[in-house]
Structures are given as structure tokens and as C-alpha cells.
Amino acid sequence: LAKSLGAPLHGVKDAPPAQRDTVIFGLHDAGFTVRQIERYTGIGKSTVSRIVRARARTAMRAGGNVM
């Protein structure tokens, strides 16, 4: 899954930030927990959590609150 998103798991840590963020969010979107992503990629839990939260906020803003 990570490879199809742009980088193999062992290479996510060294990938450019935009590519790294895409892979992390894709893994989270596929159902992996922050802790699992941390273990698989070697990226710290706080970094993974920050990326997931930032992407979720961006998605909510893009969707808007249409009533």
C-alpha cells in the first residue's frame, strides 16, 4: 500500500515531506492506527499524529459546512 502511494515503508522516513505526508495519510485512511504507522515507518508518533490531524483539518475545511 505504501509503495503504491509513492514510497516503500522503509523509505517513507527519508521521502520528501509532501510524499511522506501522502503516504502516512493514505495508511491512516486505509485503517492503520497512528501507533502502527509509527512502528512500520520509523517516524515518531507525534509526527504521524500531527500529519493525520493536519490533513483531517484541511479535508474538513475543503468540504465546508454546507447546511
Side-chain angles (χ1 to χ4, degrees), residues 4 20 42-43 45 51 55 60 62 67:
S4 70
R20 176 198 68 193
I43 298 171
K45 183 177 68 134
I51 292 166
R55 207 43 93 89
M60 286 183 67
M67 292 189 164

Side-chain angles (χ1 to χ4, degrees), residues 5-40:
L5 292 170
L9 281 178
H10 60 64
V12 173
K13 192 172 187 175
D14 299 323
Q19 188 178 20
R20 176 198 68 193
D21 295 358
T22 300
V23 171
I24 288 173
F25 190 70
L27 290 170
H28 188 264
D29 200 35
F32 291 95
T33 65
V34 169
R35 295 298 284 245
Q36 288 172 323
I37 296 168
E38 171 196 15
R39 277 184 249 134
Y40 297 149

